[in-house]
Amino acid sequence: MQAHSPLLDRQLKAIANPQRRQVLEWLRDPRAHFAPQVDGDLVADGVCALRIEEKLGLAQPTTARHLKVLVDAGLLVPKRIKQWTFYRRDEAGLAALRAGLSEQL
Amino acid sequence: MQAHSPLLDRQLKAIANPQRRQVLEWLRDPRAHFAPQVDGDLVADGVCALRIEEKLGLAQPTTARHLKVLVDAGLLVPKRIKQWTFYRRDEAGLAALRAGLSEQL
DNA sequence: TTTGAATATTGCATTTTTGCGATCTATGCA
DNA sequence: TGCATAGATCGCAAAAATGCAATATTCAAA
């Protein structure tokens, strides 16, 4: 039998929400979904939280929590530059999720 | 951008719960996890709800609802024989889930 | 047709998730 | 230093998920 994995559990809960999946999908190709930024490369550094917030159409604290859930699940990498936080996908975490799924499902 | 898929959403919510994942995993190899049954083949027909219930250690209505969530998500196939309901994996639905994931994630 | 067994459904309490406004913290710039 | 901006956190309300006991339904056998 399979041991219960807290990480996989957090990851699956994280992607069980449509808006969080939406963010992950946008960040697959940031240039296709977000305008260029001044203080951080869209791909190398990630997308500014404010841009994600306005695209999601949710309040700032709500968006911040969604992003935190994704970071805590190891699916997003945050990067602080000046007073901004940029987010990009954590491809290693996403690979772990896929691996965990194919093992458990 | 990706259209929101209600099916994928239901499937991901379904597997976001550890006990429902446990059921899916047990049913990958029913003979390894359940004793033989009189009225229905473990593999061809599926596993009796009562057996799943006692193995999960949850009350009967709770287990019934978990199973319903999985059926509604297209991840389990129910089969009524006499007064029993047997459940087996819906491999087509699981394949759709994998496909939806690799497309959206 | 009554009885018993297995499952499904209902109703309710508890917990978790999700949303928001208000506030606190960190950073940059005048 | 003072002030503005971006983001994180707190506190709360509404909604959804999860558990159970009680009850209804379905089916088989007496």
Side-chain angles (χ1 to χ4, degrees):
Chain A
M1 169 151 48
Q2 178 77 28
H4 173 251
S5 158
L7 174 62
L8 183 61
D9 197 66
R10 246 178 307 150
Q11 294 181 322
L12 287 174
K13 280 193 201 310
I15 63 167
N17 179 289
Q19 324 197 237
R20 289 193 292 260
R21 282 201 303 283
Q22 177 72 86
V23 171
L24 285 175
E25 200 216 330
W26 282 335
L27 295 185
R28 277 205 303 195
D29 186 0
R31 292 199 213 283
H33 299 287
F34 297 92
Q37 303 166 151
V38 180
D39 267 287
D41 182 75
L42 275 180
V43 174
D45 302 311
V47 176
C48 174
L50 190 53
R51 304 294 179 80
I52 297 174
E53 178 193 326
E54 52 189 33
K55 210 166 167 81
L56 270 183
L58 292 176
Q60 183 266 325
T62 305
T63 304
R65 181 152 20 83
H66 279 313
L67 293 172
K68 181 172 165 41
V69 168
L70 287 167
V71 170
D72 289 348
L75 300 177
L76 283 189
V77 180
K79 181 174 189 175
R80 183 96 186 192
I81 298 179
K82 295 185 177 173
Q83 73 265 49
W84 299 283
T85 310
F86 299 86
Y87 292 91
R88 58 180 172 83
R89 287 160 58 97
D90 185 335
E91 294 298 345
L94 285 158
L97 168 53
R98 286 186 205 99
L101 270 186
S102 57
E103 194 188 334
Q104 252 210 31
L105 234 61
Chain B
M1 169 158 40
Q2 179 76 27
H4 172 253
S5 159
L7 175 62
L8 183 61
D9 196 67
R10 247 179 306 149
Q11 294 182 321
L12 287 173
K13 279 192 199 314
I15 65 167
N17 177 290
Q19 326 201 236
R20 289 193 291 259
R21 283 201 303 283
Q22 177 71 87
V23 171
L24 285 175
E25 199 216 332
W26 283 334
L27 294 186
R28 277 205 303 195
D29 186 358
R31 292 200 213 282
H33 298 287
F34 297 92
Q37 302 166 151
V38 180
D39 269 285
D41 182 75
L42 275 179
V43 174
D45 302 311
V47 177
C48 174
L50 189 54
R51 303 295 178 79
I52 297 174
E53 177 193 327
E54 51 187 37
K55 210 167 165 84
L56 269 183
L58 292 176
Q60 183 267 326
T62 305
T63 304
R65 178 148 27 80
H66 279 314
L67 293 172
K68 181 170 165 44
V69 168
L70 288 167
V71 170
D72 290 347
L75 301 178
L76 283 189
V77 180
K79 181 174 190 176
R80 184 93 184 195
I81 298 180
K82 294 185 177 173
Q83 72 266 50
W84 298 283
T85 309
F86 299 87
Y87 292 90
R88 61 182 170 80
R89 287 160 59 97
D90 186 335
E91 295 299 344
L94 285 158
L97 169 53
R98 287 186 205 99
L101 270 185
S102 57
E103 193 188 334
Q104 250 209 32
L105 234 62

